[in-house]
mmCIF file of all heavy atoms in Angstrom:
data_model
loop_
_atom_site.group_PDB
_atom_site.id
_atom_site.type_symbol
_atom_site.label_atom_id
_atom_site.label_comp_id
_atom_site.label_asym_id
_atom_site.label_seq_id
_atom_site.Cartn_x
_atom_site.Cartn_y
_atom_site.Cartn_z
ATOM 1 N N PHE A 133 -6.270 -5.739 31.562
ATOM 2 C CA PHE A 133 -5.635 -6.330 30.366
ATOM 3 C C PHE A 133 -6.379 -7.479 29.794
ATOM 4 O O PHE A 133 -6.445 -7.665 28.559
ATOM 5 C CB PHE A 133 -4.200 -6.778 30.739
ATOM 6 C CG PHE A 133 -3.232 -5.692 30.855
ATOM 7 C CD1 PHE A 133 -1.925 -5.915 31.399
ATOM 8 C CD2 PHE A 133 -3.548 -4.394 30.468
ATOM 9 C CE1 PHE A 133 -1.004 -4.890 31.459
ATOM 10 C CE2 PHE A 133 -2.601 -3.340 30.564
ATOM 11 C CZ PHE A 133 -1.348 -3.603 31.068
ATOM 12 N N GLY A 134 -6.943 -8.362 30.633
ATOM 13 C CA GLY A 134 -7.653 -9.579 30.107
ATOM 14 C C GLY A 134 -8.838 -9.194 29.225
ATOM 15 O O GLY A 134 -8.931 -9.642 28.122
ATOM 16 N N VAL A 135 -9.663 -8.293 29.700
ATOM 17 C CA VAL A 135 -10.832 -7.830 28.927
ATOM 18 C C VAL A 135 -10.337 -6.939 27.717
ATOM 19 O O VAL A 135 -10.918 -7.049 26.639
ATOM 20 C CB VAL A 135 -11.820 -7.037 29.770
ATOM 21 C CG1 VAL A 135 -12.917 -6.426 28.939
ATOM 22 C CG2 VAL A 135 -12.394 -7.956 30.824
ATOM 23 N N LEU A 136 -9.375 -6.085 27.944
ATOM 24 C CA LEU A 136 -8.833 -5.207 26.891
ATOM 25 C C LEU A 136 -8.389 -5.955 25.683
ATOM 26 O O LEU A 136 -8.900 -5.762 24.576
ATOM 27 C CB LEU A 136 -7.680 -4.358 27.445
ATOM 28 C CG LEU A 136 -6.914 -3.578 26.445
ATOM 29 C CD1 LEU A 136 -7.713 -2.556 25.692
ATOM 30 C CD2 LEU A 136 -5.706 -2.847 27.105
ATOM 31 N N PHE A 137 -7.500 -6.942 25.847
ATOM 32 C CA PHE A 137 -6.948 -7.659 24.716
ATOM 33 C C PHE A 137 -7.940 -8.693 24.204
ATOM 34 O O PHE A 137 -7.945 -8.925 22.982
ATOM 35 C CB PHE A 137 -5.657 -8.268 25.130
ATOM 36 C CG PHE A 137 -4.606 -7.378 25.628
ATOM 37 C CD1 PHE A 137 -3.906 -7.602 26.833
ATOM 38 C CD2 PHE A 137 -4.360 -6.177 24.974
ATOM 39 C CE1 PHE A 137 -2.894 -6.721 27.267
ATOM 40 C CE2 PHE A 137 -3.434 -5.294 25.422
ATOM 41 C CZ PHE A 137 -2.728 -5.528 26.562
ATOM 42 N N GLY A 138 -8.753 -9.241 25.042
ATOM 43 C CA GLY A 138 -9.824 -10.152 24.561
ATOM 44 C C GLY A 138 -10.822 -9.437 23.684
ATOM 45 O O GLY A 138 -11.190 -9.844 22.650
ATOM 46 N N ALA A 139 -11.265 -8.229 24.161
ATOM 47 C CA ALA A 139 -12.214 -7.444 23.414
ATOM 48 C C ALA A 139 -11.637 -6.987 22.107
ATOM 49 O O ALA A 139 -12.257 -6.994 21.065
ATOM 50 C CB ALA A 139 -12.694 -6.262 24.260
ATOM 51 N N ALA A 140 -10.336 -6.570 22.117
ATOM 52 C CA ALA A 140 -9.658 -6.107 20.861
ATOM 53 C C ALA A 140 -9.643 -7.247 19.887
ATOM 54 O O ALA A 140 -9.798 -7.014 18.709
ATOM 55 C CB ALA A 140 -8.242 -5.629 21.178
ATOM 56 N N THR A 141 -9.390 -8.450 20.338
ATOM 57 C CA THR A 141 -9.326 -9.603 19.424
ATOM 58 C C THR A 141 -10.670 -9.865 18.782
ATOM 59 O O THR A 141 -10.784 -9.996 17.510
ATOM 60 C CB THR A 141 -8.949 -10.896 20.189
ATOM 61 O OG1 THR A 141 -7.597 -10.683 20.671
ATOM 62 C CG2 THR A 141 -8.930 -12.085 19.306
ATOM 63 N N VAL A 142 -11.718 -9.899 19.560
ATOM 64 C CA VAL A 142 -13.076 -10.138 18.948
ATOM 65 C C VAL A 142 -13.552 -9.023 18.128
ATOM 66 O O VAL A 142 -14.222 -9.216 17.130
ATOM 67 C CB VAL A 142 -14.055 -10.544 20.075
ATOM 68 C CG1 VAL A 142 -14.529 -9.343 20.882
ATOM 69 C CG2 VAL A 142 -15.257 -11.289 19.490
ATOM 70 N N PHE A 143 -13.226 -7.743 18.492
ATOM 71 C CA PHE A 143 -13.658 -6.659 17.638
ATOM 72 C C PHE A 143 -12.892 -6.648 16.303
ATOM 73 O O PHE A 143 -13.502 -6.371 15.280
ATOM 74 C CB PHE A 143 -13.344 -5.337 18.339
ATOM 75 C CG PHE A 143 -14.199 -5.093 19.561
ATOM 76 C CD1 PHE A 143 -13.885 -4.088 20.521
ATOM 77 C CD2 PHE A 143 -15.348 -5.816 19.792
ATOM 78 C CE1 PHE A 143 -14.689 -3.884 21.638
ATOM 79 C CE2 PHE A 143 -16.203 -5.575 20.875
ATOM 80 C CZ PHE A 143 -15.824 -4.622 21.854
ATOM 81 N N ASN A 144 -11.646 -6.990 16.288
ATOM 82 C CA ASN A 144 -10.860 -7.145 15.079
ATOM 83 C C ASN A 144 -11.430 -8.295 14.192
ATOM 84 O O ASN A 144 -11.512 -8.207 12.980
ATOM 85 C CB ASN A 144 -9.426 -7.380 15.373
ATOM 86 C CG ASN A 144 -8.698 -6.112 15.673
ATOM 87 O OD1 ASN A 144 -8.453 -5.248 14.789
ATOM 88 N ND2 ASN A 144 -8.264 -5.927 16.894
ATOM 89 N N LEU A 145 -11.841 -9.372 14.846
ATOM 90 C CA LEU A 145 -12.497 -10.488 14.079
ATOM 91 C C LEU A 145 -13.815 -10.037 13.401
ATOM 92 O O LEU A 145 -14.098 -10.476 12.276
ATOM 93 C CB LEU A 145 -12.776 -11.688 14.996
ATOM 94 C CG LEU A 145 -11.471 -12.428 15.432
ATOM 95 C CD1 LEU A 145 -11.877 -13.482 16.491
ATOM 96 C CD2 LEU A 145 -10.863 -13.130 14.241
ATOM 97 N N CYS A 146 -14.526 -9.217 14.102
ATOM 98 C CA CYS A 146 -15.789 -8.670 13.490
ATOM 99 C C CYS A 146 -15.428 -7.764 12.403
ATOM 100 O O CYS A 146 -16.132 -7.830 11.320
ATOM 101 C CB CYS A 146 -16.562 -7.911 14.585
ATOM 102 S SG CYS A 146 -17.343 -8.926 15.856
ATOM 103 N N ALA A 147 -14.400 -6.921 12.510
ATOM 104 C CA ALA A 147 -14.013 -6.041 11.401
ATOM 105 C C ALA A 147 -13.573 -6.879 10.208
ATOM 106 O O ALA A 147 -13.900 -6.471 9.064
ATOM 107 C CB ALA A 147 -12.943 -5.079 11.887
ATOM 108 N N VAL A 148 -12.810 -7.929 10.437
ATOM 109 C CA VAL A 148 -12.403 -8.749 9.343
ATOM 110 C C VAL A 148 -13.586 -9.399 8.655
ATOM 111 O O VAL A 148 -13.638 -9.507 7.396
ATOM 112 C CB VAL A 148 -11.462 -9.877 9.855
ATOM 113 C CG1 VAL A 148 -11.240 -10.971 8.857
ATOM 114 C CG2 VAL A 148 -10.112 -9.279 10.259
ATOM 115 N N ALA A 149 -14.537 -9.842 9.449
ATOM 116 C CA ALA A 149 -15.761 -10.523 8.862
ATOM 117 C C ALA A 149 -16.531 -9.509 7.955
ATOM 118 O O ALA A 149 -16.948 -9.832 6.859
ATOM 119 C CB ALA A 149 -16.653 -11.000 9.963
ATOM 120 N N LEU A 150 -16.734 -8.321 8.503
ATOM 121 C CA LEU A 150 -17.412 -7.295 7.674
ATOM 122 C C LEU A 150 -16.575 -6.850 6.467
ATOM 123 O O LEU A 150 -17.179 -6.590 5.356
ATOM 124 C CB LEU A 150 -17.683 -6.045 8.535
ATOM 125 C CG LEU A 150 -18.690 -6.267 9.692
ATOM 126 C CD1 LEU A 150 -18.784 -4.981 10.590
ATOM 127 C CD2 LEU A 150 -20.076 -6.597 9.143
ATOM 128 N N ASN A 151 -15.267 -6.817 6.618
ATOM 129 C CA ASN A 151 -14.411 -6.486 5.518
ATOM 130 C C ASN A 151 -14.619 -7.515 4.329
ATOM 131 O O ASN A 151 -14.735 -7.206 3.161
ATOM 132 C CB ASN A 151 -12.945 -6.411 5.937
ATOM 133 C CG ASN A 151 -12.007 -6.041 4.827
ATOM 134 O OD1 ASN A 151 -12.005 -4.934 4.360
ATOM 135 N ND2 ASN A 151 -11.214 -6.980 4.352
ATOM 136 N N GLN A 152 -14.545 -8.788 4.700
ATOM 137 C CA GLN A 152 -14.763 -9.884 3.726
ATOM 138 C C GLN A 152 -16.142 -9.848 3.119
ATOM 139 O O GLN A 152 -16.348 -10.088 1.935
ATOM 140 C CB GLN A 152 -14.518 -11.225 4.372
ATOM 141 C CG GLN A 152 -13.037 -11.480 4.726
ATOM 142 C CD GLN A 152 -12.149 -11.398 3.492
ATOM 143 O OE1 GLN A 152 -11.368 -10.457 3.323
ATOM 144 N NE2 GLN A 152 -12.289 -12.368 2.622
ATOM 145 N N TYR A 153 -17.083 -9.409 3.957
ATOM 146 C CA TYR A 153 -18.507 -9.354 3.396
ATOM 147 C C TYR A 153 -18.599 -8.255 2.281
ATOM 148 O O TYR A 153 -19.132 -8.518 1.217
ATOM 149 C CB TYR A 153 -19.431 -8.935 4.559
ATOM 150 C CG TYR A 153 -20.786 -8.591 4.156
ATOM 151 C CD1 TYR A 153 -21.787 -9.588 3.859
ATOM 152 C CD2 TYR A 153 -21.215 -7.238 3.998
ATOM 153 C CE1 TYR A 153 -23.040 -9.205 3.437
ATOM 154 C CE2 TYR A 153 -22.468 -6.916 3.647
ATOM 155 C CZ TYR A 153 -23.416 -7.892 3.322
ATOM 156 O OH TYR A 153 -24.612 -7.523 2.914
ATOM 157 N N PHE A 154 -18.005 -7.114 2.568
ATOM 158 C CA PHE A 154 -18.012 -6.069 1.535
ATOM 159 C C PHE A 154 -17.211 -6.460 0.329
ATOM 160 O O PHE A 154 -17.558 -6.055 -0.809
ATOM 161 C CB PHE A 154 -17.530 -4.737 2.178
ATOM 162 C CG PHE A 154 -18.532 -4.020 2.972
ATOM 163 C CD1 PHE A 154 -18.375 -3.940 4.374
ATOM 164 C CD2 PHE A 154 -19.727 -3.525 2.420
ATOM 165 C CE1 PHE A 154 -19.298 -3.353 5.189
ATOM 166 C CE2 PHE A 154 -20.681 -2.870 3.219
ATOM 167 C CZ PHE A 154 -20.454 -2.806 4.591
ATOM 168 N N ILE A 155 -16.095 -7.152 0.490
ATOM 169 C CA ILE A 155 -15.272 -7.524 -0.628
ATOM 170 C C ILE A 155 -16.048 -8.432 -1.589
ATOM 171 O O ILE A 155 -16.071 -8.303 -2.863
ATOM 172 C CB ILE A 155 -14.024 -8.318 -0.145
ATOM 173 C CG1 ILE A 155 -13.036 -7.320 0.421
ATOM 174 C CG2 ILE A 155 -13.368 -9.059 -1.332
ATOM 175 C CD1 ILE A 155 -11.815 -7.988 0.947
ATOM 176 N N ILE A 156 -16.829 -9.362 -1.049
ATOM 177 C CA ILE A 156 -17.505 -10.404 -1.851
ATOM 178 C C ILE A 156 -18.933 -9.927 -2.254
ATOM 179 O O ILE A 156 -19.369 -10.131 -3.375
ATOM 180 C CB ILE A 156 -17.564 -11.725 -1.101
ATOM 181 C CG1 ILE A 156 -16.120 -12.200 -0.894
ATOM 182 C CG2 ILE A 156 -18.454 -12.704 -1.798
ATOM 183 C CD1 ILE A 156 -15.999 -13.473 -0.057
ATOM 184 N N VAL A 157 -19.684 -9.323 -1.317
ATOM 185 C CA VAL A 157 -21.033 -8.915 -1.595
ATOM 186 C C VAL A 157 -21.157 -7.590 -2.285
ATOM 187 O O VAL A 157 -22.021 -7.408 -3.099
ATOM 188 C CB VAL A 157 -21.842 -8.959 -0.265
ATOM 189 C CG1 VAL A 157 -23.296 -8.555 -0.495
ATOM 190 C CG2 VAL A 157 -21.815 -10.337 0.393
ATOM 191 N N LYS A 158 -20.239 -6.647 -1.988
ATOM 192 C CA LYS A 158 -20.316 -5.314 -2.559
ATOM 193 C C LYS A 158 -18.967 -5.020 -3.222
ATOM 194 O O LYS A 158 -18.275 -4.017 -2.851
ATOM 195 C CB LYS A 158 -20.632 -4.254 -1.452
ATOM 196 C CG LYS A 158 -21.848 -4.539 -0.683
ATOM 197 C CD LYS A 158 -23.153 -4.276 -1.472
ATOM 198 C CE LYS A 158 -24.396 -4.380 -0.610
ATOM 199 N NZ LYS A 158 -25.630 -4.119 -1.352
ATOM 200 N N PRO A 159 -18.519 -5.785 -4.225
ATOM 201 C CA PRO A 159 -17.155 -5.575 -4.753
ATOM 202 C C PRO A 159 -16.933 -4.234 -5.422
ATOM 203 O O PRO A 159 -15.901 -3.701 -5.449
ATOM 204 C CB PRO A 159 -17.045 -6.739 -5.770
ATOM 205 C CG PRO A 159 -18.473 -7.081 -6.093
ATOM 206 C CD PRO A 159 -19.286 -6.847 -4.891
ATOM 207 N N LEU A 160 -17.996 -3.631 -6.045
ATOM 208 C CA LEU A 160 -17.871 -2.383 -6.718
ATOM 209 C C LEU A 160 -17.735 -1.210 -5.759
ATOM 210 O O LEU A 160 -17.096 -0.225 -6.017
ATOM 211 C CB LEU A 160 -19.048 -2.138 -7.658
ATOM 212 C CG LEU A 160 -19.252 -3.226 -8.752
ATOM 213 C CD1 LEU A 160 -20.449 -2.926 -9.597
ATOM 214 C CD2 LEU A 160 -17.975 -3.228 -9.639
ATOM 215 N N HIS A 161 -18.371 -1.315 -4.602
ATOM 216 C CA HIS A 161 -18.388 -0.244 -3.608
ATOM 217 C C HIS A 161 -17.258 -0.334 -2.678
ATOM 218 O O HIS A 161 -16.895 0.640 -1.957
ATOM 219 C CB HIS A 161 -19.708 -0.165 -2.809
ATOM 220 C CG HIS A 161 -20.886 0.137 -3.722
ATOM 221 N ND1 HIS A 161 -21.554 -0.832 -4.364
ATOM 222 C CD2 HIS A 161 -21.554 1.297 -3.980
ATOM 223 C CE1 HIS A 161 -22.614 -0.332 -5.033
ATOM 224 N NE2 HIS A 161 -22.610 0.941 -4.828
ATOM 225 N N TYR A 162 -16.661 -1.556 -2.533
ATOM 226 C CA TYR A 162 -15.633 -1.796 -1.519
ATOM 227 C C TYR A 162 -14.424 -0.863 -1.624
ATOM 228 O O TYR A 162 -14.024 -0.238 -0.606
ATOM 229 C CB TYR A 162 -15.193 -3.180 -1.557
ATOM 230 C CG TYR A 162 -14.013 -3.566 -0.600
ATOM 231 C CD1 TYR A 162 -14.253 -3.726 0.759
ATOM 232 C CD2 TYR A 162 -12.719 -3.610 -1.070
ATOM 233 C CE1 TYR A 162 -13.230 -4.002 1.602
ATOM 234 C CE2 TYR A 162 -11.667 -3.836 -0.176
ATOM 235 C CZ TYR A 162 -11.914 -4.061 1.154
ATOM 236 O OH TYR A 162 -10.896 -4.279 1.980
ATOM 237 N N PRO A 163 -13.813 -0.633 -2.828
ATOM 238 C CA PRO A 163 -12.639 0.249 -2.869
ATOM 239 C C PRO A 163 -12.895 1.684 -2.379
ATOM 240 O O PRO A 163 -12.057 2.328 -1.904
ATOM 241 C CB PRO A 163 -12.253 0.270 -4.396
ATOM 242 C CG PRO A 163 -12.838 -1.037 -4.870
ATOM 243 C CD PRO A 163 -14.123 -1.187 -4.142
ATOM 244 N N MET A 164 -14.167 2.133 -2.520
ATOM 245 C CA MET A 164 -14.442 3.510 -2.067
ATOM 246 C C MET A 164 -14.787 3.519 -0.625
ATOM 247 O O MET A 164 -14.527 4.522 0.055
ATOM 248 C CB MET A 164 -15.679 3.982 -2.906
ATOM 249 C CG MET A 164 -15.356 4.155 -4.409
ATOM 250 S SD MET A 164 -16.841 4.746 -5.286
ATOM 251 C CE MET A 164 -17.894 3.312 -5.226
ATOM 252 N N VAL A 165 -15.397 2.432 -0.081
ATOM 253 C CA VAL A 165 -15.751 2.411 1.279
ATOM 254 C C VAL A 165 -14.585 2.115 2.236
ATOM 255 O O VAL A 165 -14.397 2.816 3.231
ATOM 256 C CB VAL A 165 -16.850 1.307 1.505
ATOM 257 C CG1 VAL A 165 -17.168 1.158 3.000
ATOM 258 C CG2 VAL A 165 -18.176 1.703 0.756
ATOM 259 N N MET A 166 -13.770 1.150 1.888
ATOM 260 C CA MET A 166 -12.668 0.728 2.795
ATOM 261 C C MET A 166 -11.314 1.037 2.150
ATOM 262 O O MET A 166 -10.726 0.187 1.561
ATOM 263 C CB MET A 166 -12.800 -0.783 3.100
ATOM 264 C CG MET A 166 -11.883 -1.249 4.168
ATOM 265 S SD MET A 166 -11.980 -0.322 5.724
ATOM 266 C CE MET A 166 -13.610 -0.814 6.277
ATOM 267 N N THR A 167 -10.877 2.215 2.316
ATOM 268 C CA THR A 167 -9.450 2.641 1.968
ATOM 269 C C THR A 167 -8.565 2.328 3.179
ATOM 270 O O THR A 167 -9.006 2.021 4.253
ATOM 271 C CB THR A 167 -9.431 4.095 1.598
ATOM 272 O OG1 THR A 167 -9.794 4.887 2.754
ATOM 273 C CG2 THR A 167 -10.426 4.442 0.480
ATOM 274 N N ALA A 168 -7.274 2.448 2.843
ATOM 275 C CA ALA A 168 -6.336 2.248 3.922
ATOM 276 C C ALA A 168 -6.517 3.199 5.074
ATOM 277 O O ALA A 168 -6.362 2.867 6.243
ATOM 278 C CB ALA A 168 -4.880 2.352 3.393
ATOM 279 N N ARG A 169 -6.831 4.435 4.776
ATOM 280 C CA ARG A 169 -7.139 5.460 5.764
ATOM 281 C C ARG A 169 -8.308 5.123 6.618
ATOM 282 O O ARG A 169 -8.298 5.197 7.825
ATOM 283 C CB ARG A 169 -7.276 6.813 5.098
ATOM 284 C CG ARG A 169 -7.407 7.970 6.135
ATOM 285 C CD ARG A 169 -7.549 9.297 5.401
ATOM 286 N NE ARG A 169 -7.657 10.394 6.349
ATOM 287 C CZ ARG A 169 -7.804 11.673 5.928
ATOM 288 N NH1 ARG A 169 -7.753 11.984 4.690
ATOM 289 N NH2 ARG A 169 -7.879 12.626 6.833
ATOM 290 N N HIS A 170 -9.389 4.663 5.933
ATOM 291 C CA HIS A 170 -10.610 4.270 6.649
ATOM 292 C C HIS A 170 -10.327 3.040 7.602
ATOM 293 O O HIS A 170 -10.827 2.986 8.723
ATOM 294 C CB HIS A 170 -11.733 3.965 5.717
ATOM 295 C CG HIS A 170 -12.251 5.201 5.018
ATOM 296 N ND1 HIS A 170 -13.000 5.152 3.866
ATOM 297 C CD2 HIS A 170 -12.109 6.491 5.317
ATOM 298 C CE1 HIS A 170 -13.351 6.383 3.488
ATOM 299 N NE2 HIS A 170 -12.821 7.215 4.358
ATOM 300 N N ALA A 171 -9.562 2.120 7.038
ATOM 301 C CA ALA A 171 -9.176 0.974 7.871
ATOM 302 C C ALA A 171 -8.438 1.342 9.093
ATOM 303 O O ALA A 171 -8.648 0.800 10.198
ATOM 304 C CB ALA A 171 -8.347 -0.051 7.050
ATOM 305 N N GLY A 172 -7.529 2.322 8.976
ATOM 306 C CA GLY A 172 -6.827 2.812 10.148
ATOM 307 C C GLY A 172 -7.725 3.427 11.212
ATOM 308 O O GLY A 172 -7.605 3.234 12.398
ATOM 309 N N HIS A 173 -8.758 4.193 10.768
ATOM 310 C CA HIS A 173 -9.724 4.783 11.624
ATOM 311 C C HIS A 173 -10.569 3.720 12.334
ATOM 312 O O HIS A 173 -10.853 3.808 13.531
ATOM 313 C CB HIS A 173 -10.639 5.745 10.893
ATOM 314 C CG HIS A 173 -9.975 6.981 10.375
ATOM 315 N ND1 HIS A 173 -10.458 7.731 9.367
ATOM 316 C CD2 HIS A 173 -8.795 7.522 10.769
ATOM 317 C CE1 HIS A 173 -9.627 8.736 9.144
ATOM 318 N NE2 HIS A 173 -8.608 8.638 10.008
ATOM 319 N N VAL A 174 -10.921 2.663 11.561
ATOM 320 C CA VAL A 174 -11.709 1.572 12.143
ATOM 321 C C VAL A 174 -10.890 0.824 13.263
ATOM 322 O O VAL A 174 -11.388 0.577 14.334
ATOM 323 C CB VAL A 174 -12.124 0.543 11.067
ATOM 324 C CG1 VAL A 174 -12.700 -0.721 11.683
ATOM 325 C CG2 VAL A 174 -13.122 1.146 10.088
ATOM 326 N N ILE A 175 -9.609 0.565 12.973
ATOM 327 C CA ILE A 175 -8.779 -0.145 13.993
ATOM 328 C C ILE A 175 -8.600 0.756 15.226
ATOM 329 O O ILE A 175 -8.643 0.218 16.311
ATOM 330 C CB ILE A 175 -7.400 -0.435 13.308
ATOM 331 C CG1 ILE A 175 -7.593 -1.542 12.225
ATOM 332 C CG2 ILE A 175 -6.410 -0.926 14.375
ATOM 333 C CD1 ILE A 175 -6.322 -1.815 11.474
ATOM 334 N N ALA A 176 -8.384 2.054 15.021
ATOM 335 C CA ALA A 176 -8.271 2.936 16.153
ATOM 336 C C ALA A 176 -9.546 2.921 16.982
ATOM 337 O O ALA A 176 -9.515 2.901 18.242
ATOM 338 C CB ALA A 176 -7.904 4.353 15.742
ATOM 339 N N GLY A 177 -10.684 2.911 16.331
ATOM 340 C CA GLY A 177 -11.989 2.847 17.020
ATOM 341 C C GLY A 177 -12.187 1.602 17.785
ATOM 342 O O GLY A 177 -12.707 1.575 18.906
ATOM 343 N N LEU A 178 -11.707 0.490 17.184
ATOM 344 C CA LEU A 178 -11.868 -0.793 17.849
ATOM 345 C C LEU A 178 -11.064 -0.864 19.147
ATOM 346 O O LEU A 178 -11.548 -1.332 20.187
ATOM 347 C CB LEU A 178 -11.438 -1.957 16.906
ATOM 348 C CG LEU A 178 -12.228 -2.121 15.635
ATOM 349 C CD1 LEU A 178 -11.606 -3.279 14.768
ATOM 350 C CD2 LEU A 178 -13.663 -2.445 15.972
ATOM 351 N N TRP A 179 -9.852 -0.327 19.127
ATOM 352 C CA TRP A 179 -9.025 -0.356 20.314
ATOM 353 C C TRP A 179 -9.515 0.654 21.420
ATOM 354 O O TRP A 179 -9.503 0.372 22.569
ATOM 355 C CB TRP A 179 -7.575 0.020 19.954
ATOM 356 C CG TRP A 179 -6.817 -1.183 19.429
ATOM 357 C CD1 TRP A 179 -6.656 -1.553 18.130
ATOM 358 C CD2 TRP A 179 -6.160 -2.164 20.198
ATOM 359 N NE1 TRP A 179 -5.930 -2.733 18.024
ATOM 360 C CE2 TRP A 179 -5.601 -3.111 19.301
ATOM 361 C CE3 TRP A 179 -5.982 -2.356 21.596
ATOM 362 C CZ2 TRP A 179 -4.886 -4.237 19.731
ATOM 363 C CZ3 TRP A 179 -5.248 -3.485 22.010
ATOM 364 C CH2 TRP A 179 -4.731 -4.403 21.073
ATOM 365 N N ALA A 180 -10.097 1.762 20.889
ATOM 366 C CA ALA A 180 -10.692 2.701 21.829
ATOM 367 C C ALA A 180 -11.930 2.108 22.553
ATOM 368 O O ALA A 180 -12.098 2.226 23.804
ATOM 369 C CB ALA A 180 -11.129 3.991 21.106
ATOM 370 N N GLY A 181 -12.744 1.322 21.740
ATOM 371 C CA GLY A 181 -13.793 0.605 22.378
ATOM 372 C C GLY A 181 -13.340 -0.458 23.383
ATOM 373 O O GLY A 181 -14.030 -0.708 24.430
ATOM 374 N N SER A 182 -12.295 -1.118 23.070
ATOM 375 C CA SER A 182 -11.731 -2.163 23.943
ATOM 376 C C SER A 182 -11.280 -1.557 25.253
ATOM 377 O O SER A 182 -11.516 -2.084 26.370
ATOM 378 C CB SER A 182 -10.556 -2.853 23.249
ATOM 379 O OG SER A 182 -11.002 -3.419 22.059
#
Side-chain angles (χ1 to χ4, degrees):
F133 284 170
V135 173
L136 168 61
F137 302 133
T141 296
V142 75
F143 291 166
N144 278 290
L145 287 172
C146 289
V148 167
L150 293 174
N151 182 71
Q152 290 301 108
Y153 170 81
F154 282 111
I155 287 177
I156 295 175
V157 179
K158 305 286 185 181
L160 299 179
H161 297 85
Y162 176 78
M164 296 179 290
V165 173
M166 189 55 68
T167 63
R169 184 177 181 180
H170 290 164
H173 292 161
V174 170
I175 291 173
L178 296 178
W179 279 94
S182 302

